[in-house]
Amino acid sequence: MPGIDIVRSVADLRGRVRAWRTQGLTVALVPTMGALHQGHLSLVAAGLSRADRVVASVFVNPTQFGPNEDFDRYPRQEEADAALLAGAGCHLLYAPTAAEMYPAGFATTVTVAGLSDGLCGAVRPGHFAGVATVVAKLLLQCLPDIALFGEKDFQQLKVIERMARDLDIPVAIAGVPTHREPDGLAMSSRNRYLSPDERRIAPALHRTLTEIAAALRAGRPAGEACRTAAADLIAAGFAAVDYVEVRDAATLAPAERLDGRKLRIIAAARLGNARLIDNIGVEP
Ligand code: PAF
């Protein structure tokens, strides 16, 4: 089994990236919180297809978790992650400590107004400020040519695109399509919170999104289709639906009908101890 080099400090990361740059090599960054699955490995594969070297970061970022969320029980498995990354052809694992990322006296927060406010931002106050801050730091620490993020976290992707553009961070931000289980469930590190019974129920989330897409294509309004979908999720066994909405794919503004724009149907719902999110695109 091939190994992978691990660096834990900004100085060591920059040293490695600098050495590649002097050889004229391009660099991709795949930021993660670890507990890696095939979805993450598809980000590494996309990075390998677009750059000469791929760095994956693994950092469970405390500032993007609310006080009653799953920071403490979020799975941590560095050895397994390192082996998966090595097997996927990733060149370097950056696994900083919390003290390296947030040294004593750390006082800066990056907030992206508007895009951060609704959907997950409404249910998880401060979450996207935590994400934008840590991703801004990761981008500036590594300064890759391209950074890759999964479309499963669609609102996160939009927030990061805006943040990088607004702060003139010279990095291309790329979204990679969601990797799904054969039954449609979006791959997520949090799927491991599901009991076997809940795992059987979970694909209903993706199914209801495809039903909303069909309703929109049939000319039905989004509000009615989303209300039906939320009721279907509860009937399927979900404990609560945080939101099911149709939004403009570029601006995340609410959309009521398929009217020529690219739309995104986006949902978050609770099942047992897991909060699942998913989204799909729909175009005319
Ligand atoms: O999507 C994630 O895993 C995290 O939100 C990210 C982008 C690595 C920031 O901590």
Side-chain angles (χ1 to χ4, degrees):
M1 191 69 179
I4 187 169
D5 287 352
I6 304 179
V7 291
R8 299 190 189 278
S9 70
V10 178
D12 286 349
L13 173 67
R14 288 198 171 135
R16 296 295 293 261
V17 172
R18 201 179 311 118
W20 288 331
R21 295 268 180 231
T22 56
Q23 296 168 54
L25 299 173
T26 56
V27 179
L29 175 68
V30 176
T32 82
M33 295 204 302
L36 302 181
H37 49 68
Q38 285 303 318
H40 294 112
L41 301 185
S42 74
L43 300 180
V44 172
L48 287 168
S49 73
R50 306 205 28 194
D52 301 312
R53 294 289 179 268
V54 177
V55 180
S57 64
V58 170
F59 178 65
V60 185
N61 174 37
T63 65
Q64 69 187 75
F65 290 80
N68 299 317
E69 293 186 346
D70 56 344
F71 175 70
D72 287 334
R73 70 189 167 106
Y74 199 86
R76 287 149 171 96
Q77 46 168 63
E78 186 180 289
E79 224 175 288
D81 288 344
L84 285 170
L85 290 169
C90 187
H91 298 92
L92 184 67
L93 167 55
Y94 174 47
T97 60
E100 182 74 6
M101 288 303 269
Y102 299 114
F106 187 87
T108 300
T109 301
V110 179
T111 53
V112 179
L115 286 170
S116 300
D117 295 340
L119 305 171
C120 284
V123 186
R124 305 183 68 190
H127 168 67
F128 287 116
V131 170
T133 303
V134 80
V135 173
K137 284 175 66 69
L138 290 165
L139 296 178
L140 293 168
Q141 289 169 349
C142 183
L143 280 179
D145 298 278
I146 182 169
L148 301 106
F149 298 87
E151 286 183 353
K152 184 179 79 69
D153 298 280
F154 195 75
Q155 187 178 12
Q156 167 175 284
L157 175 62
K158 295 289 124 184
V159 166
I160 290 168
E161 284 172 352
R162 184 81 256 165
M163 177 274 292
R165 210 176 310 151
D166 287 354
L167 297 182
D168 302 311
I169 302 180
V171 175
I173 304 296
V176 175
T178 303
H179 215 75
R180 297 186 181 279
E181 303 284 358
D183 60 11
L185 177 65
M187 287 195 186
S188 164
S189 306
R190 290 185 167 102
N191 289 351
R192 65 186 71 191
Y193 298 157
L194 298 170
S195 70
D197 279 348
E198 290 158 0
R199 175 62 189 81
R200 275 189 284 279
I201 294 169
L205 185 58
H206 177 244
R207 205 163 49 240
T208 57
L209 298 182
T210 61
E211 285 162 6
I212 296 171
L216 290 172
R217 284 198 201 94
R220 283 176 44 209
E224 176 196 310
C226 291
R227 277 190 296 279
T228 305
D232 288 350
L233 287 173
I234 298 297
F238 278 77
V241 175
D242 284 353
Y243 59 82
V244 184
E245 296 200 22
V246 179
R247 296 291 180 107
D248 181 293
T251 63
L252 295 187
E256 190 51 18
R257 290 195 184 269
L258 205 48
D259 56 7
R261 290 176 292 170
K262 284 187 179 176
L263 304 182
R264 210 81 193 179
I265 308 165
I266 183 160
R270 307 203 181 229
L271 183 56
N273 286 325
R275 179 176 181 276
L276 303 182
I277 62 172
D278 201 354
N279 68 86
I280 59 171
V282 56
E283 3 191 331

